[in-house]
Amino acid sequence: MIGWVYLLLAIGFEVAAATCMKLSDSLSRPWPSALMAIFYILCFLAMIKSLEHLQIGVVYAIWAGAGTAAIAIIGVMMFNDTMPWIKI
């Protein structure tokens, strides 16, 4: 059970980091840039902890898929990205 909690934390931190990456404006804005680095560090620490309890194939597949889907949704909602059927 604890492995799944760490995996959810890793996904959340990764999504926060990717969002901050966009907000950093090519690392020209200090706060989003610093938060991006912090969130990525936290993401990988949580991912490492999840690997103590779960298989790497499961962790990586869920982390990558859930993170990608969440960022796509955030891109549409926050950054006015388009989502035509071909992207889906």
Side-chain angles (χ1 to χ4, degrees), residues 15-27:
V15 169
T19 303
C20 287
M21 186 186 307
K22 175 72 172 175
L23 293 172
S24 76
D25 196 25
S26 298
L27 302 178

Side-chain angles (χ1 to χ4, degrees), residues 7-73:
L7 179 55
L8 287 174
L9 285 171
I11 292 165
F13 287 135
E14 193 273 331
V15 169
T19 303
C20 287
M21 186 186 307
K22 175 72 172 175
L23 293 172
S24 76
D25 196 25
S26 298
L27 302 178
S28 66
R29 298 178 61 213
W31 282 110
S33 300
L35 287 172
M36 177 195 68
I38 291 166
F39 286 140
Y40 271 125
I41 290 167
L42 292 172
C43 165
F44 286 110
L45 289 173
M47 194 177 211
I48 288 165
K49 291 299 286 182
S50 75
L51 289 171
E52 293 176 3
H53 306 277
L54 302 170
Q55 296 176 0
I56 191 168
V58 171
V59 168
Y60 192 75
I62 293 172
W63 176 79
T68 300
I71 287 299
I73 292 166

